[in-house]
């Protein structure tokens, strides 16, 4: 302990008043307390598990799961392992989250812009929507959508049909599904050429812009070329054929079938999150200073240019961070699937915990996976955020 | 100048001008107005015809369950007495603290009057109606007294702090006393909803403050542990934490420590909201100018004193509105305890729907539950909005 006080010549500061010593001691104390708590809980847990004749470990993941999962994006049978079942749950969570995030963003932007509309009725409807949705619990909304709407749809024999492509009944929503044909590869070639054209045009556009030459809307022309090529290619090669669901005696065959659980969860998550995203978008647009708008108009920019070149880039800076947390909330809220029976990560996890009697490893897996989803989402959104932020000089 | 004698331009004022400016300013706007107007009219008609024929008796017949769950009927007065205590405190605070607490007092009395009116239509009895009317009157009596007599603020703050344990003891009771014990398993309905959220925010507050200070600490071990806890909790859904509190917490504790389900759920909610409180408090801490800390150090205060007397009082004041927002979302989130089988108001709704006489009345029950949450959350969010403006947060 002699090395503690090298700066003090005459015997030095006593240990209990040496700031460095105190700092180390405080940290050791905190770490020891946390370690003791963890050790206490682990011992109790192991004792409890031994009492039930169950060990602790992840070896159950290789065993046969033996339970059904009502819907799965990959082939799954009860004879598959617990690990496969877990992956099915994860994929279901990711599927509903990604589709939900895309749809909620679209609806949210519409709502946010509608709240700033010059039209009184549009404005009032948008705020009524936001207030009602934000002030009631998501779980209640999900119950209303699932139990009071989707499960009250007519039985298969009295299916509601919209045209001859959309069918609604108790068993879910039936849509036409795209089926790849032999024209897919030629069409992809069209897409690749179009993309190359668009990217090349954009690079040229940037170069001319940087060099101060007139751009002559080359970038825009490139994008138009891409759209034209993709469209012409579609007509020429017919890469997909849409297969409509066909009614047989008891149900619909073919097409895309969305279960009532999935659809209810998706609608609930989208409607709920869109209200919050709407507020984020409104706040972002309102935060752009009036002077910016007036200056842009004074420079002779058209209304479209004002929005595209002045308002949106600045609003985006304010919008992206809170938007990220709304995306994270949506992904986390998808765990409410358990209440209406969509087999997501958490529901599969709970079934696994019940069957194996190993709740601790299962919850570690489930929580770790949610944490990873959150971290990856924030990572991507932070990268995007860095792109839209102002470069401070 | 003759401008003063000119008539006002006829296209700028009056109902016709308003219509033209706000509903028919452009062709697109006119189309939107007409299409949406027809849709709204149609929806309102549908809703009205549903509401007129809906089986509201399912709700009114079970109103007691929705309000207090299976709290014994002969002990229900304890709930009304708790409300009376809160009413007195709210009334006194409205007089002592002024504007924003007054909004709270108006809300609380309005809600009690509303519930009393609902109770008239249900078989719960006139005692409860009388108690609630009495409470609503007590709020304004207390307000009238405190506004005239300039009530001291500090004892009121302490009374609020004490009100939670007192409430808890009053509701829980002890066997052998005039207040027989009521197991928390019998607590339910709106009572449990509000209790879970209140306990969640109050108990998590000290922990959240410590975590926030820890996250900003210059001791690496403390900072890493605090940040790790906060980010871990914020990265996972509440359901997983409730599941943990329900199934795994008992495994972590020695076998002889038995916690009942409500206590476990409260524990889970507290651990959850501590992380969110910590982030709110951190925002408040960051808003304190460094000059304040430097001035405190110049005066010779040590680290603990600086935090206790200079930083925290200012930071905590600044985060009150954010914490009201957190309380609102916590109130909504308590519905998740139905997933682990507790009977808060949504759980009661599901239990009611399981009765044979309420078969198929999903929309009635869930619409009622949604309406209850809407009234509570909307009132509180308006109050917090006023509070924010009154305190000038963000406009400094």
């Amino acid at each position: 302990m002699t090395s503690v006080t090298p700066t003090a010549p005459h015997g030095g500061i006593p240990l209990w008043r040496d700031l460095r010593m105190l700092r180390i001691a405080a940290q050791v104390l905190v770490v020891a307390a946390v370690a003791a708590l963890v050790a206490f809980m682990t011992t109790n847990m192991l004792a409890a598990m031994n009492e039930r004749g169950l060990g602790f470990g992840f070896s159950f993941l290789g065993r046969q799961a033996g339970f059904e999962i009502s819907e799965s994006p990959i082939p799954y049978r009860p004879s598959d392992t617990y690990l496969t079942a877990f992956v099915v749950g994860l994929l279901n969570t990711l599927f509903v989250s990604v589709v939900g995030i895309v749809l909620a963003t679209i609806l949210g932007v519409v709502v946010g812009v509608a709240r700033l509309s010059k039209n009184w009725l549009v404005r009032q409807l948008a705020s009524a929507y936001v207030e009602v949705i934000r002030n009631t619990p998501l779980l209640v909304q999900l119950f209303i959508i699932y139990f009071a709407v989707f499960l009250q749809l007519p039985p298969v024999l009295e299916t509601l049909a919209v045209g001859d492509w959309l069918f609604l009944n108790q068993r879910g929503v039936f849509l036409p599904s795209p089926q790849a044909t032999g024209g897919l590869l030629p069409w992809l070639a069209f897409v690749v050429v179009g993309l190359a054209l668009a990217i090349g045009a954009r690079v040229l556009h940037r170069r001319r812009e940087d060099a101060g030459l007139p751009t002559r809307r080359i970038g825009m022309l490139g994008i138009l070329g891409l759209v034209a090529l993709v469209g012409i290619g579609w007509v020429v090669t017919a890469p997909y054929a849409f297969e409509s669901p066909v009614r047989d005696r008891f149900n619909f065959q073919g097409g895309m079938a969305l279960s009532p659980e999935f659809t209810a969860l998706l609608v609930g998550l989208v409607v709920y999150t869109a209200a919050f995203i709407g507020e984020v978008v409104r706040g972002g647009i309102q935060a752009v200073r009036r002077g910016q708008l007036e200056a842009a108009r004074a420079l002779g920019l058209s209304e479209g240019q004002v929005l595209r070149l002045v308002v949106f880039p600045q609003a985006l800076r304010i919008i992206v961070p809170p938007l990220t947390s709304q995306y994270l909330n949506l992904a986390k809220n998808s765990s409410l699937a358990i209440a209406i029976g969509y087999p997501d990560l958490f529901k599969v996890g709970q079934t696994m915990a019940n069957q194996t009697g190993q709740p601790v490893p299962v919850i570690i897996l489930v929580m770790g996976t949610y944490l990873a989803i959150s971290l990856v989402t924030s990572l991507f959104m932070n990268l995007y955020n860095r792109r839209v932020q102002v470069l401070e000089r | 100048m003759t401008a003063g004698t000119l008539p006002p331009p006829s296209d700028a004022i009056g109902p016709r001008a308003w219509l033209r400016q706000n509903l028919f300013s452009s062709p697109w706007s006119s189309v939107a107005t007409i299409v949406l107007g027809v849709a709204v009219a149609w929806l309102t008609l549908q809703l009205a015809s549903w509401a007129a024929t809906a089986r509201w008796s399912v709700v009114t017949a079970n109103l007691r369950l929705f309000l207090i769950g299976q709290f014994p009927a002969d002990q229900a007065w304890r709930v009304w007495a708790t409300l009376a205590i809160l009413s007195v405190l709210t009334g006194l605070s409205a007089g002592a603290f002024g504007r924003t607490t007054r909004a709270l007092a108006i809300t609380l009395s309005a809600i009690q009057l509303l519930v009393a009116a609902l109770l008239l239509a249900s078989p719960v009895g006139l005692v409860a109606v009388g108690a609630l009317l009495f409470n609503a009157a007590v709020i304004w009596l207390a307000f009238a007294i405190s506004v005239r007599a300039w009530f001291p603020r500090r004892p009121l703050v302490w009374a609020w702090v004490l009100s939670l344990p007192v409430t808890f003891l009053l509701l829980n009771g002890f066997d052998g006393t005039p207040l027989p014990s009521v197991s928390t398993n019998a607590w339910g309905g709106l009572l449990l909803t509000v209790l879970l959220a209140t306990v969640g925010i109050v108990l998590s507050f000290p922990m959240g403050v410590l975590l926030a200070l820890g996250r900003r600490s210059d001791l690496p071990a403390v900072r890493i542990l605090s940040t790790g806890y906060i980010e871990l909790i914020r990265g996972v859904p509440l359901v997983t934490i409730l599941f943990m509190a329900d199934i795994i917490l008992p495994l972590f504790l020695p076998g002889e420590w038995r916690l009942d389900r409500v206590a476990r759920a409260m524990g889970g909610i507290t651990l959850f909201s501590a992380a969110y409180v910590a982030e709110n408090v951190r925002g408040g801490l960051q808003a304190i100018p460094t000059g304040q800390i430097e001035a405190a150090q110049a005066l010779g205060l040590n680290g603990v004193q600086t935090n206790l007397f200079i930083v925290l009082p200012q930071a905590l004041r600044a985060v009150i509105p954010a914490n009201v927002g957190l309380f609102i979302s916590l109130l909504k989130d308590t519905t998740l305890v139905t997933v682990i089988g507790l009977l808060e108001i949504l759980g009661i709704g599901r239990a009611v729907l399981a009765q044979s006489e309420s078969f198929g009345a999903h929309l009635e029950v869930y619409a009622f539950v949604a309406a209850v949450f809407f009234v509570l959350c909307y009132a509180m969010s308006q109050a917090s909005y006023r509070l924010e403006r009154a305190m000038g947060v963000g406009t400094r």
Side-chain angles (χ1 to χ4, degrees), chain B residues 107-198:
Chain B
T107 313
L108 186 62
S109 58
I111 287 175
Q112 297 199 62
L113 287 177
L114 197 69
V115 174
L118 276 177
L119 280 173
L120 274 180
S122 84
V124 177
L126 290 175
V127 181
V129 178
L132 287 169
L133 290 179
F134 171 77
N135 285 348
V138 156
I139 291 180
W140 296 108
L141 196 68
F143 170 68
I145 292 170
S146 75
V147 96
R148 296 235 159 68
W150 186 247
F151 204 81
R153 292 177 175 191
R154 186 152 290 195
L156 256 182
V157 172
W158 283 112
W160 275 111
V161 172
L162 277 178
S163 68
L164 189 69
V166 168
T167 303
F168 218 83
L169 289 180
L170 182 59
L171 292 174
N172 193 48
F174 282 103
D175 278 330
T177 60
L179 294 173
S181 137
V182 176
S183 148
T184 48
N185 287 329
W187 302 12
L190 188 58
L191 173 69
L192 184 59
T193 302
V194 173
L195 263 178
L196 282 174
T198 313

Side-chain angles (χ1 to χ4, degrees), chain A residues 364-383:
Chain A
I364 290 175
L365 273 180
V366 170
M367 284 178 136
T369 311
Y370 276 115
L371 202 58
I373 295 176
S374 295
L375 290 179
V376 170
T377 313
S378 348
L379 186 75
F380 277 111
M381 291 304 284
N382 284 345
L383 286 178

